[in-house]
Every structure is written in C-alpha cells, then in structure tokens.
Amino acid sequence: MGIRKKFNGRTAFVTGGSSGIGRALCLALAKNGAAVTVADKNFSGADLVASEIIRGGGTAAAMKTDVTDPGSFRKALKASLKKFGRIDFLFNNAGVGFSCDFRDCTARDMDMVFNVNFRGAVNGIMEIYPLMIARGGGHIINIASMAGIIPFSINVPYTASKFALAGLTLSLMAEARDLGVNMTLVCPGVIKTAFYDSITVKKVDRKKYVSGLPSRMMGPERAAEIILRGVAGNKKMIVFPFHARFLFMINKIFPSLIYLLNKAMIKKFRKMSSN
Ligand code: NAI
C-alpha cells in the first residue's frame, strides 16, 4: 500500500517526537495526511514540531509525556484520544543511548536505560493494546535498533534494553496480529541525530567516542521515509541502512565475526578510557 493511502485521515502518536527520527516521523506522517500527536518529555521541543506541522496546514498536537511514567503516558494518550477520537498508530520511538565498559555500569544505569528504552514502550503498549483490540485494529511500531538484533560491546545496557524490546515485539507479533493489531519492529543502524549529543559515555570523552562512528550517516528524514514505507507495507521487521542489514546477516551466518568485531571495539574503547 502507498504511504499516503495508509496514513491519510488516520491518527498517530509518536513518542520522542521532538527530535531526530521521531521529529522526522511526525513531519512525514503529517505530510501524508495523518493527525499527529507529538509526545515528548521535552514539551517545548514537541510544541515546536506540532506548530511547524500546523503552520504547514497539517494537524498536530504536542503532549508532554515521560514514557517512563505510566501515569504521564496514560494522561497523554487519553488527551490524544479526546482530541483526535482514536489512535491508529503508536510509534514507540523515545530512547536514550548509553555506552560504557560494563565494569563501570551500575544497577541505576541499567534501570535508567531500561526504563526509557524498554519499559517506556511497554507502558504505551499496556495502555493502547487493549483499546486497539477492542476496536479491531491498530498498528504498534517499536523503534529498537540494530543493537536489538546484533550484540554490541561497550553498549551492554543499551543493547540489552533493545534486545528486550525486539523480543517483546517479535513474540507479541503473532498474538497481536491474530487480534487485528499489527506490529512492526524497526532496527535502524547509525542515523545522524542529536542522539549522539546526549548519549551517556562513561569514562571516555563523548566527542572522542562519537568521532569514531561512521561519518557518512543517514539523515533522520530518509530514515522516517524508510520506516513509513515499511509500515505502509505492513512489514514485520525493518532493518536499515545497508550497514545494519549487512551486520545482521553476518551475525546470522558468522556470529564469531561479530565477536571479533566486539573484541576490537572494547580494546579501542579501553584505550580511550580513564580507567
Ligand atoms: P534523539 O535523541 O534525537 O531523540 C530522542 C527523543 O526521545 C528526544 O526528543 C528525547 O527528548 C526523547 N526522550 C528521551 N527520554 C524520554 C522519555 N523518558 N520520555 C519521553 N521522551 C523521551 O534520538 P534519535 O536518534 O531520534 O532516536 C530515536 C530512537 O531511535 C531511539 O529509540 C533510539 O534508541 C533509536 N535509534 C537511534 C539510532 C541513531 O543512530 N540515532 C540508531 C538506532 C536506533
């Protein structure tokens, strides 16, 4: 199905909608005729995105939402339902990055990352899933990462949280689809967003760490286009760009190569570390 046909006249709720991939998703959804709820803990950022959509002739509302707080998520979903009548698409996109040598990781660090990247999505699903079942339709899109399907050293908390989200999505998929609720797992590789400005990097200078990432990254607008095309085609899983698909395939066929890559990555990280 074409993107416009899929989203025109429908409603979407996007968490982490004020920045990066979430912002690009909101703008693209609105451009394709959807009424969009821009949900973010950063309300002023969400408001800017909603205002940009409205100025361009689209329909949008900004909602302050902390996905880690079930009460805050519930309140925003209720307000969105009141405003737009229903939610056809829930994009669980809010996320935080976290890189460290795991010996420096605390239980609090793990909780913080899991609370946003995993529990944050669970909080939304718990609210919206029963409503979608009752209505006999809806689509939940979980933005995990290539780190949700390929293990990466130096990113244990992040990788574990995204594996949890991927596991939840893939295991719920058949159950949900049987009840008329579609699910899509999205696993992007490295995308050029503010994610890398706010990523926590323990004991290594963030700028130094980020400068080691691939320099030719895909932009969020192109990422949003790929995601929406996949959702319109009702894909179960969207893995992109090429480097993510390539590493995913290598991990399936030669997992020991990923292990070697991880050994090299942690060696490099430890060289940069103040440990
Ligand atoms: P970003 O940093 O530009 O945007 C993340 C958004 O999430 C921000 O607007 C932030 O305010 C919001 N957010 C953070 N914690 C929140 C909370 N507790 N409640 C509500 N909103 C919250 O990052 P980006 O790159 O757009 O990331 C979007 C998603 O894509 C994340 O889940 C990330 O893990 C995932 N991803 C990003 C990749 C990248 O290379 N940029 C690669 C793979 C996955």
Side-chain angles (χ1 to χ4, degrees):
M1 190 188 278
I3 297 187
R4 178 135 196 114
K5 202 166 169 205
K6 180 83 174 184
F7 297 107
N8 193 23
R10 315 293 289 281
T11 58
F13 189 102
V14 183
T15 71
S18 80
S19 172
I21 300 171
R23 175 179 179 274
L25 281 170
C26 289
L27 296 175
L29 282 160
K31 204 174 116 202
N32 284 288
V36 181
T37 301
V38 188
D40 207 292
K41 68 172 190 183
N42 167 8
F43 178 73
S44 55
D47 200 37
L48 278 177
V49 176
S51 303
E52 188 178 341
I53 291 172
I54 293 164
R55 267 200 317 276
T59 308
M63 305 276 171
K64 184 166 174 64
T65 315
D66 180 350
V67 297
T68 66
D69 173 1
S72 164
F73 213 143
R74 188 175 310 124
K75 204 170 143 199
L77 285 168
K78 271 195 178 155
S80 175
L81 281 166
K82 198 168 166 204
K83 187 158 180 74
F84 297 126
R86 59 178 209 267
I87 293 169
D88 296 309
F89 300 93
L90 168 64
F91 289 82
N92 283 310
N93 165 75
V96 289
F98 198 100
S99 299
C100 65
D101 189 325
F102 194 67
R103 62 189 157 161
D104 299 320
C105 181
T106 64
R108 273 182 79 170
D109 293 335
M110 284 299 271
D111 285 348
M112 186 282 285
V113 178
F114 265 78
N115 280 342
V116 182
N117 294 355
F118 178 65
R119 290 290 321 181
V122 172
N123 288 336
I125 293 168
M126 290 300 197
E127 290 296 326
I128 208 73
Y129 185 51
L131 300 181
M132 286 181 171
I133 293 170
R135 241 191 42 226
H139 199 143
I140 298 170
I141 301 98
N142 291 334
I143 314 290
S145 167
M146 68 172 171
I149 47 175
I150 307 161
F152 285 115
S153 290
I154 339 171
N155 287 290
V156 173
Y158 183 76
T159 299
S161 70
K162 293 295 189 176
F163 261 78
L165 182 58
L168 172 109
T169 314
L170 295 173
S171 55
L172 180 56
M173 197 171 279
E175 245 186 86
R177 286 184 176 220
D178 193 50
L179 296 170
V181 180
N182 289 319
M183 295 205 72
T184 298
L185 173 66
V186 181
C187 301
V190 184
I191 308 295
K192 194 173 187 159
T193 69
F195 182 83
Y196 298 100
D197 301 331
S198 56
I199 187 171
T200 305
V201 187
K202 275 196 144 179
K203 297 200 175 176
V204 165
D205 178 65
R206 187 199 296 145
K207 275 197 182 138
K208 215 167 163 187
Y209 172 68
V210 171
S211 70
L213 293 171
S215 54
R216 291 183 63 199
M217 297 183 202
M218 179 181 276
E221 292 76 19
R222 177 81 183 113
E225 197 185 314
I226 292 170
I227 295 169
L228 293 191
R229 192 174 319 124
V231 172
N234 209 6
K235 283 207 170 161
K236 296 185 179 77
M237 203 165 159
I238 305 168
V239 184
F240 71 99
F242 174 76
H243 68 258
R245 281 201 306 278
F246 178 72
L247 289 172
F248 182 43
M249 189 191 72
I250 293 287
N251 188 47
K252 272 190 184 168
I253 309 172
F254 303 115
S256 51
L257 285 182
I258 299 293
Y259 178 78
L260 290 176
L261 173 74
N262 278 330
K263 270 182 89 168
M265 277 168 52
I266 190 66
K267 258 203 174 113
K268 188 174 162 202
F269 190 81
R270 283 181 179 152
K271 264 194 190 147
M272 291 191 279
S273 160
S274 57
N275 260 332

